[in-house]
Amino acid sequence: MDRRLVITADDLGVDAATNEAIVELMRDGLVSATTLIPVAPAAADAVDRLRAAGLGAPRLHFALSSGREWEWAGWRPLAPDVVSLTEEDGTLPVSPAGVEHRVDPADVARELLAQLDWMSRLGLRPTGLDSHAGTLYGFQGRSLADLAVDFCAAHDLAFRLPRKLLTVLQLAVRGLRGAHRRAVQRADEHGVALPEALISAWLPGRMVLSYAQLRGEVIAQLRGLPPGTSELMVHPAPRAAAGRMLPADGRKRMWELRLLRDPAFHRALRRERISIVPAW
């Protein structure tokens, strides 16, 4: 059984401390990919650090919502006049809940292009697209995945839409399985590459009571990976960045950083005969 895994550190660009940690992980070979949020406050700093380290382009981590108010300041869209995407003060909403219900798909398409163009102007050629806070996937009840697939096809991008919904994601999208199935079919018709499955430390911070629990959750999912190329999505953060979050959320992100350097995690990858690759 040939199983491959992309280990992705999400949220490059949120702050300088997170950027430093993720670039170090990339340089040390402990993650094989990363994603950049162009609208985040330290996005330009992230680009500078990637260049200084001689690393390749990150994927586009498309944002329709801001960082939480206790983490980062409100983020603003890059496209002009996308009023359906913003609050009255012009910022993207803090909470992703219900975002997909309120947006005009034409505004989403314009903002997708603006965020991709921002990366292109800096000489970055991302190979894939994924969704900050899952707003393209319809976790709150309306899927924008077809729009995203069409955008990826037009711009030669892969898309983080897992072909197979493992147990946790089946529960998250239980009302949208038909939309998921149609989006996968559409991706195949348009030649858009998808990962086989997506795994992560899914529980919210308040429910993760120990590092051993988080590590056990991730390693258990490794055992269930299907053949093909899947993805492990992590959100590593050092103490300097985690201190800006709610305590439970910051602690979880520090534990995700610890996981990537844990010999037991790497032994599990070897035991399961999972190869680490940069892309699906």
Side-chain angles (χ1 to χ4, degrees):
M1 184 169 63
D2 186 12
R3 298 190 296 173
R4 299 172 297 276
L5 187 67
V6 182
I7 303 179
T8 301
D10 269 354
D11 289 354
L12 195 65
V14 294
D15 56 46
T18 298
N19 292 345
E20 181 180 12
I22 291 177
V23 169
E24 182 178 339
L25 290 167
M26 290 285 293
R27 192 174 55 234
D28 292 347
L30 296 175
V31 298
S32 58
T34 185
T35 66
L36 174 64
I37 307 174
V39 298
D45 172 81
V47 175
D48 290 343
R49 290 176 188 271
L50 289 170
R51 286 176 174 161
L55 297 171
R59 295 200 306 268
L60 168 57
H61 199 50
F62 177 66
L64 284 175
S65 61
S66 294
R68 294 190 181 97
E69 56 192 356
W70 53 83
E71 297 173 10
W72 306 291
W75 303 344
R76 294 178 179 272
L78 299 182
D81 303 321
V82 284
V83 293
S84 75
L85 307 186
T86 63
E87 306 286 15
E88 290 184 2
D89 64 357
T91 63
L92 297 169
V94 168
S95 172
V99 164
E100 58 263 39
H101 289 290
R102 59 181 278 182
V103 298
D104 181 340
D107 284 351
V108 176
R110 291 174 61 207
E111 182 61 18
L112 272 166
L113 185 58
Q115 293 188 25
L116 180 63
D117 282 349
W118 183 89
M119 295 182 70
S120 298
R121 287 196 302 273
L122 293 177
L124 300 177
R125 178 64 178 92
T127 59
L129 168 71
D130 39 64
S131 177
H132 178 64
T135 50
L136 292 178
Y137 308 125
F139 290 164
Q140 307 298 327
R142 177 191 178 195
S143 175
L144 298 168
D146 282 354
L147 184 156
V149 166
D150 290 348
F151 181 83
C152 289
H155 296 279
D156 194 24
L157 299 169
F159 184 40
R160 180 194 275 167
L161 179 74
R163 292 181 174 280
K164 297 178 177 64
L165 298 176
L166 302 184
T167 304
V168 173
L169 284 184
Q170 285 181 14
L171 296 174
V173 299
R174 56 186 177 274
L176 290 167
R177 291 179 187 173
H180 170 265
R181 185 169 56 251
R182 289 190 296 273
V184 170
Q185 181 178 354
R186 192 181 191 95
D188 288 341
E189 291 170 352
H190 287 74
V192 174
L194 308 175
E196 286 298 317
L198 181 62
I199 63 174
S200 187
W202 296 112
L203 292 176
R206 66 182 185 279
M207 297 179 66
V208 183
L209 304 182
S210 70
Y211 170 69
Q213 177 191 350
L214 182 144
R215 183 178 63 185
E217 178 190 358
V218 172
I219 289 177
Q221 291 175 85
L222 293 179
R223 301 186 190 108
L225 284 179
T229 304
S230 298
E231 181 177 11
L232 168 61
M233 173 183 67
V234 289
H235 300 86
R239 185 175 299 276
R244 303 179 66 182
M245 307 174 194
L246 286 178
D249 294 333
R251 182 184 62 197
K252 179 186 174 186
R253 291 195 177 214
M254 288 193 295
W255 284 342
E256 290 188 67
L257 177 58
R258 179 180 171 184
L259 174 74
L260 296 168
R261 297 190 178 280
D262 189 333
F265 169 66
H266 294 281
R267 285 196 298 271
L269 289 168
R270 292 192 296 271
R271 185 170 59 248
E272 295 296 325
R273 300 182 181 180
I274 296 171
S275 303
I276 306 304
V277 295
W280 56 81

